[in-house]
Structures are given as C-alpha cells and as structure tokens.
Amino acid sequence: MKKHFLAFSLLAIAVITASFTVKHNAPQPKTVGERVTWYSWQEAMELNKTTPKKLLVDVYTDWCGWCKVMDKQTFPNDTIAAYLNKNFYCIKINAEMRDSVNFAGNTFVWVSPEQGGGRNGIHTLAYSLLDGKMSYPTIVYLNEKLERVIISPGYKKPEQLLPELRFTAEEIYRNKSWDEYMKQGK
C-alpha cells in the first residue's frame, strides 16, 4: 500500500511541476494549416540586415485576454499566416518581459512597479514602440529601415487585420491615409 501511495505521490508531484513550468519563448498559435513564423527581436534584426522586410511587432501581456484570442483565432487563420510569413518578420514583445534588448545603440530594460513601471512593471522597448500608450494587444508596423509606420491598438479579427497588413506591406500608406484607403473599399 505504501508503495502505491509513494508512486501516486511522485506522479502527482511530476504533473503539478510540469503544469507550472515557465516557458520563455513567445506563445505560438496552434493551427492545422499555415502557421505564423514568430522571431525574437534579435533574430528579426539579423534577418532584416540580409533580407529586408517589414516587421510586425505584436505587443502583448500574459494577462491580456484579447491577446490570447488573437493568438487562437486571428494569427492562425491560413490567409493571415501566409500573408504575414511572405511579407513580414513577425515578432512578439511581452510588454512586461524582464529580458533586456539591445537595439539601435540603446539597451531597453524592464522597469519595476517601484520605479514607476505600472502594476506589473513595463519594458522600455514596448513603451518606446507604443509611444507610452500602453494598451494590449497593439500591433506596431516597422518598415525595412526599422522606422515605425503604424501603431494599431486593439483586437482584430482576420477580416479586420488583412486590410491593415496590405496597407502596410504594399506601402499604400505612402499615398493614402488609412481613412482614404478604407473608404475606397480596400
């Protein structure tokens, strides 16, 4: 009886431990068809040096419900995933991550709540990308020169995201405002 109890206890501990294992990689949407390829900030910067592409930066937090809905319903959409993989380097940035990021001669870091970083702390890269307007999810589009093109806050269904992707990837923003583009019927 003690052997069974011991075996059961060890199994229970293993299951509980596995459920609390922290994953440091950006969340990957699960889908049967096409999948978005997500890169780390550093990977995308390196790739952009040799093969320039626009960048889509998905700024999220672990507690953001609408961020999770986009990960499950918008990004796995086959049309969206295929378009993203063809036209963008896609990056997920957790606005509360604690890892430092070196970019453009600057080191971006996590700022604790005690230092004025909000309730859970805030990463200065996310703060910089969003011009301090912290709402999640927010997508930031950068051109090949890493210049910000658009900041697009809020949850988007696939049919709402696709025109935005085209507006950026096809550089329609150079000749038309977003409102003009939307009025013409995409």
Side-chain angles (χ1 to χ4, degrees), residues 6-184:
L6 180 60
F8 178 76
S9 297
L10 290 173
L11 179 62
I13 290 169
V15 168
I16 291 169
T17 302
S19 70
F20 287 106
T21 300
V22 177
K23 295 188 178 178
H24 297 286
N25 296 331
Q28 293 290 321
K30 293 179 176 88
T31 181
V32 174
E34 189 79 34
R35 249 186 115 122
V36 174
T37 301
W38 295 101
Y39 298 96
S40 71
W41 184 268
Q42 287 352 59
E43 289 171 332
M45 295 305 115
E46 286 302 313
L47 287 167
N48 197 54
K49 286 178 187 176
T50 56
T51 309
K53 272 189 185 182
K54 291 180 178 49
L55 287 86
L56 176 141
V57 183
D58 177 26
V59 183
Y60 74 98
T61 63
D62 290 334
W63 50 263
C64 169
W66 287 112
C67 300
K68 293 174 186 176
V69 174
M70 280 190 74
D71 282 345
K72 289 182 182 164
Q73 297 178 4
T74 303
F75 293 126
N77 175 281
D78 285 344
T79 302
I80 295 295
Y83 197 87
L84 284 171
N85 289 336
K86 179 180 178 188
N87 296 288
F88 294 89
Y89 293 123
C90 298
I91 306 166
K92 284 192 166 289
I93 295 288
N94 183 340
E96 297 170 348
M97 72 177 166
R98 295 187 183 210
D99 299 333
S100 62
V101 175
N102 295 312
F103 172 61
N106 298 301
T107 300
F108 294 90
V109 297
W110 179 74
V111 176
S112 72
E114 296 78 28
Q115 297 169 312
R119 183 177 50 166
N120 298 323
I122 195 73
H123 200 276
T124 55
L125 178 59
Y127 190 88
S128 178
L129 286 168
L130 301 181
D131 280 342
K133 296 175 183 142
M134 310 310 288
S135 80
Y136 317 106
T138 295
I139 295 173
V140 179
Y141 297 93
L142 305 175
N143 66 19
E144 296 85 348
K145 295 178 184 176
L146 307 177
E147 301 163 331
R148 191 174 46 214
V149 175
I150 303 171
I151 299 173
S152 178
Y155 165 77
K156 292 172 185 64
K157 295 178 181 178
E159 60 272 14
Q160 295 169 311
L161 184 60
L162 191 57
E164 196 171 281
L165 298 176
R166 288 183 176 141
F167 182 75
T168 306
E170 297 169 20
E171 298 186 355
I172 297 167
Y173 62 86
R174 292 186 179 272
N175 302 312
K176 291 183 182 174
S177 71
W178 175 252
D179 290 336
E180 291 171 327
Y181 173 64
M182 292 306 288
K183 284 179 187 173
Q184 88 175 31

